[in-house]
């Protein structure tokens, strides 16, 4: 860089255009690097098929550096922008990519068993091939199972298999050299061989390394003596990938004809997933009265009550601790911060123990004090005790933060104000409501908003304390007594429909985003938090 | 918490598997069967000269982990000990190897009919059966001399044995796997059959019989007072091991631990109903599956066969009374009282449906059971009907 040149040479053109140009150039550099990485892997695989994938990263970096130099030569001013490059990479990988993926998946039926893999279980025999070689008859339409897909098998990829295995006899074996009575058919590739081992009563399989006339060189010698009369040659199955044009009962039409000489033996289809429009959203709204509705109401209540409770307790403790006449203030403050310092996962487990119906400390205490004649079924009874327990535990976890925040704000209030209030004859309560509270407000509004936003999606406490339970008669298996929106989405995505229903889970996530956005906007409007920003 | 730990374990494993040279076995077994499996695997490793690593997974995690990580080449090569009801989801998801060609005539003909059918989906064999299991009545012989002939007598005995020191009868009531015994014996069913095949649109879990079964579950807790609130599997198992529980409705996996703790364990089928209807709960077949994406497919198939040979099955029977899938192995242990007890219970049991739709049954039914056993006046019919709506997706 030539430092004698004027500073302006090193700045992009001002305003939005300059910013976009810079970001565009950075993205371009990353795209070139990605292409370089992919190319490296492709070439490496071509040279040595077992080449590891991480070569791609090296290739990418190796491409990135010269690309950056070339760009810097053309645009001098871009150099400082290179500092943004790592941030841009992380932004793309960890924020933009998941967001885009979620939005796309929300409109598909992607799920555990609609995963785009070959459906091994759908393999069925080909009974007949029409002379046009595109129409085939399959043995069992139920096995092929086109009904399970969005629109039958039309447009779905299929795999057609030819040929199979043959039984042969061997005459001798010496280590890994197996001599057959006759050479294997020479137009077919021998993939492996099955040998029956009478000593252990099972069939041994081995891949075949080489064929020398009628002698097979096995990759692994059988550990026990095989039965030479009972040998199965596993011949390479010829495989053809083809799209399905349409299907009707046992008649399947392929998009392109089978090549001449290809003897189709069986066919299997892929698990297709794809665009289903708004069906996921319709599913969600169809059960809104059982899931979305009650879960949303409880979610708002949970976040609101948590923030109010935590703020109240935090403020009370902070005001008490702020009294300079209090002895051992430092000690109390330390003790009160401990719940915040301990890891949530441990604290919540301990609380689960406390809340146990028969052995927990809380029920014992309540019964000792004669508050309740029967032990309360906190976590597994009806939803109300469980919700109370969630709020209680969340108070324990959350008040120290509020307390520390209020303590900080309190120390900024001049003591003279209290003195003046006292001289004017104000009681302690008056000086709190008329001096402390108004001065705290400005400091507490942002904290309250963050607290609300955080608790609105507070997955930890629900998952670890109640796991969404107890079961309730007004809910569903995925939306139970204490489930909030985010835990409901988790249940739908990872615990229903054969393990994972990504499509539906993504749709719920989009909905949560919309709801959170709406709630936040209302919040900001009501509290005027955006006022200064919008004035600027 | 368990799930969290399991995920961490899986993560570690995935990292390990990426660099491992040999085979990786994923298993759901606990001790003592896990030790036995390790030994059997070690024998294979030395006979065949293949390195094998055994990794333990949670039974509720394994299927999902397979579906997610097998196509990426990061799952175990061989899966040991997964109940057959989870097989078809993995087969349809494309992560299981078709073992139809791998199983020999002699192996197949030695299997019990139910075991073979359990792992057969769409006419193809996706797993080699290892043993058959299902819940039966485990009892502490120091507390119970004999099990009554009728369900009513059993309820009375349970009430008698529920004292200040001991519990008469407990089980994991909110678990559909066990409570299906009540729903089915009284007349409910999971999927009906049309032309001999399971029909996922015909769900019989809210029919008249299922509702009666559900009411009986409610009565257990609130009328007979024998399965109190707060009972789950760990509580019941812990009490049985401590000798403070007389009768426990569970499967063979509970036998090993109880015996180690010095409990004199007896096994009997649950008694029949007053009208003579025999008790009928779920029957599960556990087997060995092979990963379709395994890079060492032939070794994996060899290991699967090794682990399911009849000698190997004998060990599980002797350890915990798992009824061998192999008829020749079964003949050798038929005299064993534990095996005989479970075997008798299995005679009248219903195999778990092995179609993929079964995966959608567990969650809603657990939820319905939670509602039913929560209070004496919960509406059993409404709870079961809601569960069925969720299962069929209507």
């Amino acid at each position: 860089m030539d430092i004698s040149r004027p500073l302006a040479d090193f700045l992009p053109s001002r305003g939005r255009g300059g910013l976009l140009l810079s970001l565009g150039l950075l993205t371009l550099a990353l795209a070139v690097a990605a292409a370089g990485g992919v190319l490296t892997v492709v070439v490496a695989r071509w040279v040595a098929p077992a080449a590891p994938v991480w070569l791609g990263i090296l290739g990418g970096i190796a491409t990135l550096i010269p690309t950056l130099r070339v760009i810097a030569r053309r645009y001098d001013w871009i150099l400082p922008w290179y500092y943004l490059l790592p941030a841009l990479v992380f932004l793309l990988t960890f924020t933009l990519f998941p967001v885009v993926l979620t939005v796309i998946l929300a409109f598909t039926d992607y799920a555990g068993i609609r995963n785009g893999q070959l459906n091994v279980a759908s393999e069925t025999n080909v009974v007949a091939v029409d002379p046009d070689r595109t129409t085939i008859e399959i043995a069992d339409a139920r096995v092929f199972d086109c009904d399970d897909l969005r629109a039958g098998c039309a447009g779905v990829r299929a795999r057609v298999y030819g040929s199979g295995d043959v039984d042969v006899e061997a005459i001798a074996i010496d280590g890994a050299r197996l001599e057959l009575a006759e050479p294997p058919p020479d137009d077919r590739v021998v993939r492996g061989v099955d040998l029956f081992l009478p000593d252990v009563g099972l069939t041994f399989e081995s891949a075949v390394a080489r064929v020398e006339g009628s002698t097979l060189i096995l990759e692994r010698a059988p550990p026990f003596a095989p039965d030479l009369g009972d040998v199965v040659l596993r011949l390479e199955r010829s495989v053809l990938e083809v799209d399905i044009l349409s299907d009707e009962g046992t008649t399947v039409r392929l998009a392109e004809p089978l090549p001449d000489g290809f003897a189709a033996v069986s066919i299997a289809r892929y698990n297709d997933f794809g665009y289903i429009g708004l069906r996921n959203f319709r599913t969600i709204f169809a059960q809104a009265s059982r899931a979305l509705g009650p879960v949303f109401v409880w979610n708002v209540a949970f976040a609101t009550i948590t923030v109010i409770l935590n703020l109240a307790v935090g403020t009370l403790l902070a005001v008490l601790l702020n009294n300079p006449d209090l002895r051992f203030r430092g000690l109390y403050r330390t003790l009160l911060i401990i719940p915040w310092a301990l890891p949530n996962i441990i604290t919540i487990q301990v609380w689960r123990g406390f809340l146990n119906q028969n052995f927990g400390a809380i029920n014992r205490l309540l019964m000792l004090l004669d508050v309740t004649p029967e032990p309360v079924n906190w976590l597994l009874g009806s939803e109300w005790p469980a919700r109370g327990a969630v709020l209680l535990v969340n108070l324990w976890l959350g008040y120290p933060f509020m307390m520390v925040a209020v303590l900080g704000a309190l120390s900024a209030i001049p003591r003279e104000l209290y003195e003046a209030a006292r001289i004017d004859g104000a009681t302690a309560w008056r000086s709190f409501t008329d001096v402390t509270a108004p001065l705290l407000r400005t400091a507490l509004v942002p904290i309250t908003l963050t607290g609300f936003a955080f608790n609105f999606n507070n997955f930890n406490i629900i998952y670890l304390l109640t796991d969404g339970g107890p079961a309730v008669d007004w809910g569903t298996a995925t939306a139970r007594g204490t489930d909030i929106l985010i835990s409901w989405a988790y249940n739908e995505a990872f615990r229903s429909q054969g393990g994972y229903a990504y499509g539906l889970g993504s749709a719920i996530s989009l909905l949560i985003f919309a709801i959170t956005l709406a709630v936040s906007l209302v919040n900001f409007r009501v509290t005027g938090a955006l006022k200064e920003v919008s004035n600027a | 918490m368990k799930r969290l730990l399991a995920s961490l374990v899986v993560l570690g494993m995935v990292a390990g598997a990426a660099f491992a040279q040999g085979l990786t076995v994923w298993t759901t077994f606990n001790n003592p069967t896990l030790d036995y499996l390790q030994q059997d695997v070690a024998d294979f490793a030395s006979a065949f000269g293949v390195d094998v690593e055994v990794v333990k997974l949670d039974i509720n995690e394994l299927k999902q982990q397979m579906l997610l990580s097998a196509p990426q080449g990061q799952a175990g090569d061989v899966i040991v000990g997964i109940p057959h009801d989870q097989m078809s989801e993995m087969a349809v998801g494309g992560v299981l190897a078709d073992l139809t060609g791998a199983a020999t005539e002699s192996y197949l003909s030695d299997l019990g009919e139910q075991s073979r059918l359990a792992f057969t989906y769409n006419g193809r064999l996706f797993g080699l059966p290892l043993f058959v299991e299902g819940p039966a009545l485990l009892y502490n012989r120091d507390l119970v001399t004999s099990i009554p002939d009728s369900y009513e007598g059993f309820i009375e005995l349970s009430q008698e044995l529920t004292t200040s020191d001991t519990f008469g009868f407990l089980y994991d009531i909110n678990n559909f796997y066990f409570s299906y015994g009540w729903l089915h014996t009284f007349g409910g069913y999971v999927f009906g059959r049309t032309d001999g095949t399971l029909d996922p649109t015909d769900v019989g879990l809210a029919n008249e019989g299922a509702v009666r079964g559900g009411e009986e579950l409610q009565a257990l807790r609130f009328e007979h007072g024998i399965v109190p609130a707060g009972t789950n599997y760990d509580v019941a198992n812990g009490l049985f091991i401590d000798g403070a529980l007389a009768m426990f409705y569970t499967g063979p996996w509970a036998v090993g631990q109880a015996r180690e703790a010095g409990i004199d364990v007896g096994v009997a089928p649950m008694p029949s109903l007053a009208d003579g209807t025999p008790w009928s709960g779920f029957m599960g077949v556990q087997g060995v599956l092979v990963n379709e994406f395994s890079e060492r497919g032939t070794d994996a198939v060899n290991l699967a066969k090794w682990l399911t040979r009849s000698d190997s099955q004998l060990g599980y029977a002797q350890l915990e009374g798992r009824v061998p899938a192999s008829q020749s192995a079964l003949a050798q242990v038929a005299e064993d009282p534990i095996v005989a007890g479970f075997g008798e219970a299995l005679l009248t049991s219903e195999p778990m449906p092995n179609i993929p739709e079964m995966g959608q049954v567990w969650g809603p039914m657990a939820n319905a059971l939670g509602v039913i056993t929560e209070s004496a006046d919960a509406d059993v019919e409404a709870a079961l009907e809601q569960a069925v709506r969720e299962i069929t997706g209507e």
Side-chain angles (χ1 to χ4, degrees), chain A residues 29-53:
Chain A
L30 286 179
V32 171
V38 172
L39 198 68
T40 314
V41 175
V42 170
V43 170
R45 282 274 158 96
W46 183 59
V47 174
V53 182

mmCIF file of all heavy atoms in Angstrom, chain A residues 29-53:
data_model
loop_
_atom_site.group_PDB
_atom_site.id
_atom_site.type_symbol
_atom_site.label_atom_id
_atom_site.label_comp_id
_atom_site.label_asym_id
_atom_site.label_seq_id
_atom_site.Cartn_x
_atom_site.Cartn_y
_atom_site.Cartn_z
ATOM 1 N N ALA A 29 -15.283 -13.303 -3.184
ATOM 2 C CA ALA A 29 -14.044 -13.988 -2.803
ATOM 3 C C ALA A 29 -14.367 -15.322 -2.147
ATOM 4 O O ALA A 29 -13.750 -16.357 -2.445
ATOM 5 C CB ALA A 29 -13.239 -13.109 -1.852
ATOM 6 N N LEU A 30 -15.380 -15.323 -1.262
ATOM 7 C CA LEU A 30 -15.751 -16.569 -0.575
ATOM 8 C C LEU A 30 -16.286 -17.590 -1.574
ATOM 9 O O LEU A 30 -15.982 -18.782 -1.481
ATOM 10 C CB LEU A 30 -16.814 -16.289 0.485
ATOM 11 C CG LEU A 30 -16.303 -15.583 1.739
ATOM 12 C CD1 LEU A 30 -17.438 -15.340 2.712
ATOM 13 C CD2 LEU A 30 -15.209 -16.410 2.401
ATOM 14 N N ALA A 31 -17.072 -17.114 -2.547
ATOM 15 C CA ALA A 31 -17.635 -18.034 -3.534
ATOM 16 C C ALA A 31 -16.519 -18.676 -4.348
ATOM 17 O O ALA A 31 -16.520 -19.889 -4.592
ATOM 18 C CB ALA A 31 -18.609 -17.294 -4.445
ATOM 19 N N VAL A 32 -15.533 -17.840 -4.758
ATOM 20 C CA VAL A 32 -14.400 -18.377 -5.522
ATOM 21 C C VAL A 32 -13.659 -19.409 -4.683
ATOM 22 O O VAL A 32 -13.300 -20.498 -5.161
ATOM 23 C CB VAL A 32 -13.457 -17.234 -5.957
ATOM 24 C CG1 VAL A 32 -12.174 -17.809 -6.560
ATOM 25 C CG2 VAL A 32 -14.159 -16.320 -6.939
ATOM 26 N N ALA A 33 -13.456 -19.083 -3.382
ATOM 27 C CA ALA A 33 -12.750 -20.008 -2.491
ATOM 28 C C ALA A 33 -13.518 -21.316 -2.380
ATOM 29 O O ALA A 33 -12.928 -22.403 -2.419
ATOM 30 C CB ALA A 33 -12.570 -19.383 -1.118
ATOM 31 N N ALA A 34 -14.861 -21.227 -2.245
ATOM 32 C CA ALA A 34 -15.668 -22.439 -2.130
ATOM 33 C C ALA A 34 -15.531 -23.281 -3.382
ATOM 34 O O ALA A 34 -15.341 -24.504 -3.312
ATOM 35 C CB ALA A 34 -17.129 -22.066 -1.896
ATOM 36 N N ALA A 35 -15.576 -22.610 -4.544
ATOM 37 C CA ALA A 35 -15.427 -23.338 -5.802
ATOM 38 C C ALA A 35 -14.069 -24.024 -5.852
ATOM 39 O O ALA A 35 -13.949 -25.187 -6.252
ATOM 40 C CB ALA A 35 -15.599 -22.378 -6.971
ATOM 41 N N GLY A 36 -13.028 -23.293 -5.409
ATOM 42 C CA GLY A 36 -11.688 -23.870 -5.376
ATOM 43 C C GLY A 36 -11.637 -25.108 -4.504
ATOM 44 O O GLY A 36 -11.017 -26.114 -4.861
ATOM 45 N N GLY A 37 -12.310 -25.019 -3.342
ATOM 46 C CA GLY A 37 -12.332 -26.161 -2.415
ATOM 47 C C GLY A 37 -12.987 -27.362 -3.052
ATOM 48 O O GLY A 37 -12.453 -28.477 -3.012
ATOM 49 N N VAL A 38 -14.139 -27.133 -3.656
ATOM 50 C CA VAL A 38 -14.868 -28.244 -4.286
ATOM 51 C C VAL A 38 -14.026 -28.863 -5.393
ATOM 52 O O VAL A 38 -13.898 -30.088 -5.494
ATOM 53 C CB VAL A 38 -16.230 -27.745 -4.835
ATOM 54 C CG1 VAL A 38 -16.893 -28.845 -5.668
ATOM 55 C CG2 VAL A 38 -17.137 -27.320 -3.698
ATOM 56 N N LEU A 39 -13.417 -27.995 -6.183
ATOM 57 C CA LEU A 39 -12.591 -28.471 -7.286
ATOM 58 C C LEU A 39 -11.443 -29.336 -6.767
ATOM 59 O O LEU A 39 -11.133 -30.388 -7.332
ATOM 60 C CB LEU A 39 -12.052 -27.265 -8.071
ATOM 61 C CG LEU A 39 -11.547 -27.574 -9.475
ATOM 62 C CD1 LEU A 39 -12.703 -27.967 -10.371
ATOM 63 C CD2 LEU A 39 -10.787 -26.383 -10.045
ATOM 64 N N THR A 40 -10.814 -28.871 -5.661
ATOM 65 C CA THR A 40 -9.710 -29.632 -5.079
ATOM 66 C C THR A 40 -10.159 -31.044 -4.742
ATOM 67 O O THR A 40 -9.478 -32.021 -5.055
ATOM 68 C CB THR A 40 -9.217 -28.948 -3.798
ATOM 69 O OG1 THR A 40 -9.075 -27.562 -4.059
ATOM 70 C CG2 THR A 40 -7.910 -29.540 -3.340
ATOM 71 N N VAL A 41 -11.335 -31.148 -4.088
ATOM 72 C CA VAL A 41 -11.810 -32.467 -3.679
ATOM 73 C C VAL A 41 -12.081 -33.329 -4.907
ATOM 74 O O VAL A 41 -11.684 -34.501 -4.959
ATOM 75 C CB VAL A 41 -13.089 -32.339 -2.819
ATOM 76 C CG1 VAL A 41 -13.663 -33.716 -2.504
ATOM 77 C CG2 VAL A 41 -12.782 -31.593 -1.535
ATOM 78 N N VAL A 42 -12.719 -32.729 -5.920
ATOM 79 C CA VAL A 42 -13.062 -33.499 -7.114
ATOM 80 C C VAL A 42 -11.784 -34.043 -7.771
ATOM 81 O O VAL A 42 -11.689 -35.233 -8.086
ATOM 82 C CB VAL A 42 -13.857 -32.617 -8.116
ATOM 83 C CG1 VAL A 42 -13.999 -33.332 -9.451
ATOM 84 C CG2 VAL A 42 -15.225 -32.290 -7.541
ATOM 85 N N VAL A 43 -10.804 -33.141 -7.911
ATOM 86 C CA VAL A 43 -9.551 -33.573 -8.547
ATOM 87 C C VAL A 43 -8.865 -34.626 -7.689
ATOM 88 O O VAL A 43 -8.417 -35.669 -8.193
ATOM 89 C CB VAL A 43 -8.620 -32.355 -8.778
ATOM 90 C CG1 VAL A 43 -7.228 -32.826 -9.196
ATOM 91 C CG2 VAL A 43 -9.226 -31.426 -9.808
ATOM 92 N N ALA A 44 -8.813 -34.395 -6.362
ATOM 93 C CA ALA A 44 -8.143 -35.346 -5.461
ATOM 94 C C ALA A 44 -8.828 -36.706 -5.538
ATOM 95 O O ALA A 44 -8.164 -37.753 -5.573
ATOM 96 C CB ALA A 44 -8.161 -34.812 -4.036
ATOM 97 N N ARG A 45 -10.160 -36.701 -5.583
ATOM 98 C CA ARG A 45 -10.907 -37.966 -5.654
ATOM 99 C C ARG A 45 -10.631 -38.688 -6.970
ATOM 100 O O ARG A 45 -10.660 -39.909 -7.046
ATOM 101 C CB ARG A 45 -12.411 -37.687 -5.520
ATOM 102 C CG ARG A 45 -12.873 -37.421 -4.100
ATOM 103 C CD ARG A 45 -13.181 -38.734 -3.381
ATOM 104 N NE ARG A 45 -13.116 -38.561 -1.935
ATOM 105 C CZ ARG A 45 -14.167 -38.320 -1.170
ATOM 106 N NH1 ARG A 45 -15.347 -38.246 -1.715
ATOM 107 N NH2 ARG A 45 -14.027 -38.170 0.131
ATOM 108 N N TRP A 46 -10.410 -37.900 -7.994
ATOM 109 C CA TRP A 46 -10.165 -38.475 -9.309
ATOM 110 C C TRP A 46 -8.796 -39.137 -9.337
ATOM 111 O O TRP A 46 -8.627 -40.200 -9.894
ATOM 112 C CB TRP A 46 -10.267 -37.353 -10.364
ATOM 113 C CG TRP A 46 -10.099 -37.812 -11.763
ATOM 114 C CD1 TRP A 46 -10.870 -38.742 -12.430
ATOM 115 C CD2 TRP A 46 -9.116 -37.386 -12.680
ATOM 116 N NE1 TRP A 46 -10.414 -38.901 -13.695
ATOM 117 C CE2 TRP A 46 -9.335 -38.081 -13.890
ATOM 118 C CE3 TRP A 46 -8.049 -36.472 -12.620
ATOM 119 C CZ2 TRP A 46 -8.527 -37.893 -15.012
ATOM 120 C CZ3 TRP A 46 -7.260 -36.284 -13.736
ATOM 121 C CH2 TRP A 46 -7.498 -36.985 -14.915
ATOM 122 N N VAL A 47 -7.829 -38.497 -8.660
ATOM 123 C CA VAL A 47 -6.487 -39.057 -8.595
ATOM 124 C C VAL A 47 -6.467 -40.244 -7.635
ATOM 125 O O VAL A 47 -6.055 -41.344 -7.986
ATOM 126 C CB VAL A 47 -5.468 -37.984 -8.144
ATOM 127 C CG1 VAL A 47 -4.093 -38.622 -7.943
ATOM 128 C CG2 VAL A 47 -5.418 -36.861 -9.161
ATOM 129 N N ALA A 48 -6.946 -40.015 -6.411
ATOM 130 C CA ALA A 48 -6.990 -41.087 -5.409
ATOM 131 C C ALA A 48 -8.394 -41.116 -4.807
ATOM 132 O O ALA A 48 -8.776 -40.167 -4.119
ATOM 133 C CB ALA A 48 -5.945 -40.820 -4.318
ATOM 134 N N PRO A 49 -9.165 -42.161 -5.080
ATOM 135 C CA PRO A 49 -10.577 -42.177 -4.661
ATOM 136 C C PRO A 49 -10.771 -42.054 -3.150
ATOM 137 O O PRO A 49 -11.840 -41.636 -2.703
ATOM 138 C CB PRO A 49 -11.065 -43.548 -5.161
ATOM 139 C CG PRO A 49 -10.100 -43.949 -6.221
ATOM 140 C CD PRO A 49 -8.790 -43.332 -5.852
ATOM 141 N N ALA A 50 -9.765 -42.410 -2.350
ATOM 142 C CA ALA A 50 -9.947 -42.376 -0.905
ATOM 143 C C ALA A 50 -9.529 -41.040 -0.289
ATOM 144 O O ALA A 50 -9.399 -40.920 0.918
ATOM 145 C CB ALA A 50 -9.155 -43.510 -0.261
ATOM 146 N N ALA A 51 -9.323 -40.033 -1.110
ATOM 147 C CA ALA A 51 -8.838 -38.749 -0.594
ATOM 148 C C ALA A 51 -9.811 -38.157 0.427
ATOM 149 O O ALA A 51 -11.021 -38.180 0.222
ATOM 150 C CB ALA A 51 -8.655 -37.773 -1.751
ATOM 151 N N PRO A 52 -9.277 -37.650 1.550
ATOM 152 C CA PRO A 52 -10.157 -37.119 2.588
ATOM 153 C C PRO A 52 -10.789 -35.781 2.184
ATOM 154 O O PRO A 52 -10.234 -35.038 1.366
ATOM 155 C CB PRO A 52 -9.226 -36.936 3.786
ATOM 156 C CG PRO A 52 -7.875 -36.776 3.191
ATOM 157 C CD PRO A 52 -7.869 -37.579 1.926
ATOM 158 N N VAL A 53 -11.941 -35.485 2.794
ATOM 159 C CA VAL A 53 -12.692 -34.286 2.415
ATOM 160 C C VAL A 53 -11.990 -33.012 2.880
ATOM 161 O O VAL A 53 -12.140 -31.958 2.262
ATOM 162 C CB VAL A 53 -14.115 -34.357 3.006
ATOM 163 C CG1 VAL A 53 -14.929 -33.150 2.593
ATOM 164 C CG2 VAL A 53 -14.804 -35.619 2.549
#
